[in-house]
Amino acid sequence: MRRREFAVGLAALGVAGCTAPEENEPASPTPTAPSRPPSASPTPSASPTPTPTATPTPSPVPRPARFEVATAVAVITELAGRIGPREASSAGYREAATYVEGRFTAAGLDVRRQTVRVPAGVSWGVRVPSGQADNLIATSPGFDGTRPHLVVGAHLDTVPQAPGAEDNASGVAIVLELARMAVLRPPRLPVLFAAFAAEEPRGDGDLRHHYGSRHYLAQLPAEERRAIRGMVSLDRVGTGPNVRVRTGGRAALTVADALVATGRRVRIATSRGTNRGSDHWSFEKVGIAAARVGGHGYAGYHNANDKPNLISRPQLTRTAALVWAYLL
């Protein structure tokens, strides 16, 4: 971290002035000083009053760019504990979006909402209505989407019956922490952070999935799309013995390769695989190198047991450390 040193200096200057008599004004007679008795002691001169010195105001010490697992767990507890299921067209999703927007803003990022229309359908065996949900797009002030940058995202919605601690409050919590850290220590490339809406299926097939990330890319100008150097989707990152890195197999493997190489460098175990079940797939389909981080199987998958007690703090820390090292 850079340390800024501030020095405060104050100087005081006193000026005394005399005024001469105006022309034609009679001068006052000069008084004769009385004679001093020989035995009289001289009058001591007064000591000058010292000028007070201002005490420098200490500058605030910035927080280090360090992953705070307790903060991530608090986010998971809020989303999956207090708010609960966040199906994309529900009031729960809208409350969760407001909460996450506030966290991005508090970290010092600018947040833009994108409205995504979602159709009625069946999500993991439960009928869901049509409606709309918002993507949250967060960037540092001055971000220029036409310049080379990275995208790091996580889906905010859940299937209707699940509180979604692992799927996917865990991914959202790490995205929020990485965003906060990136404000304190800018990565090698600017990063656009996203909480995507409506990733969960609303029916069978590719076109009934990943609505938020598909909408984001569909409205993105060609120049900004070309400026994306890679995308990481954090999806189910709070359980498992290592950090899974997976791709859909369509675009270049540069992001996945870099993540695995970073894992070797910082001594974080990774495992490779193929997967098209998260928002990275939307980016791969338009030719952008992307990878999903996360996705170990667990007992609470898409059911009412997906609660905060399932989350492993060491796994959150490993995952965040890997992606942060990749961003740097």
Side-chain angles (χ1 to χ4, degrees):
M1 294 287 297
R2 301 186 183 90
R3 177 176 300 171
R4 297 181 179 177
E5 298 182 355
F6 297 91
V8 178
L10 296 178
L13 178 63
V15 179
C18 298
T19 303
E22 293 186 9
E23 189 177 359
N24 299 324
E25 180 182 347
S28 301
T30 302
T32 302
S35 60
R36 188 186 302 274
S39 59
S41 300
T43 303
S45 59
S47 300
T49 302
T51 302
T53 303
T55 302
T57 302
S59 58
V61 178
R63 297 170 68 187
R66 183 181 300 119
F67 176 70
E68 296 178 359
V69 68
T71 301
V73 170
V75 170
I76 294 168
T77 301
E78 178 72 10
L79 291 174
R82 190 186 68 80
I83 296 175
R86 305 175 296 283
E87 183 274 314
S89 63
S90 69
Y93 183 86
R94 292 189 290 275
E95 184 176 3
T98 298
Y99 169 74
V100 171
E101 180 179 24
R103 297 296 299 235
F104 275 136
T105 302
L109 285 86
D110 296 330
V111 183
R112 175 167 54 96
R113 286 189 179 233
Q114 287 182 332
T115 299
V116 181
R117 298 191 181 281
V118 292
V122 177
S123 182
W124 217 252
V126 179
R127 290 196 171 276
V128 290
S130 62
Q132 61 185 40
D134 287 344
N135 287 335
L136 302 175
I137 309 301
T139 54
S140 296
F143 174 85
D144 182 354
T146 66
R147 304 298 298 273
H149 63 278
L150 301 169
V151 176
V152 176
H155 73 87
L156 180 55
D157 64 310
T158 69
V159 294
Q161 63 271 50
E166 171 69 334
D167 190 11
N168 186 37
S170 63
V172 172
I174 290 183
V175 166
L176 287 171
E177 271 296 280
L178 293 174
R180 179 188 63 80
M181 294 159 68
V183 171
L184 298 173
R185 182 181 178 183
R188 57 189 168 89
L189 286 176
V191 183
L192 181 150
F193 295 95
F196 288 120
E199 184 270 352
E200 296 291 2
R202 304 177 85 80
D204 296 330
D206 215 29
L207 296 180
R208 304 283 283 174
H209 213 203
H210 313 133
Y211 292 91
S213 54
R214 286 195 286 121
H215 174 81
Y216 171 74
L217 290 164
Q219 59 77 48
L220 198 63
E223 186 179 13
E224 295 189 31
R225 186 182 293 187
R226 288 193 298 268
I228 300 174
R229 295 294 181 263
M231 187 271 179
V232 176
S233 175
L234 289 151
D235 194 347
R236 290 166 41 199
V237 294
T239 62
N242 56 44
V243 181
R244 300 197 77 175
V245 177
R246 298 188 284 174
T247 63
R250 179 170 292 184
L253 299 177
T254 52
V255 173
D257 289 345
L259 285 165
V260 171
T262 299
R264 287 194 295 267
R265 178 169 56 83
V266 299
R267 299 184 180 181
I268 294 175
T270 61
S271 59
R272 295 289 289 264
T274 301
N275 175 267
R276 296 180 175 181
S278 190
D279 288 311
H280 69 292
W281 179 233
S282 298
F283 286 78
E284 283 198 61
K285 287 192 296 182
V286 297
I288 297 172
R292 173 180 177 172
V293 172
H296 285 286
Y298 70 110
Y301 179 63
H302 281 189
N303 64 51
N305 294 319
D306 192 359
K307 297 179 180 179
N309 64 307
L310 295 177
I311 300 300
S312 161
R313 289 185 175 216
Q315 181 69 351
L316 289 176
T317 303
R318 281 191 291 267
T319 304
L322 175 69
V323 180
W324 181 241
Y326 162 75
L327 293 179
L328 293 182

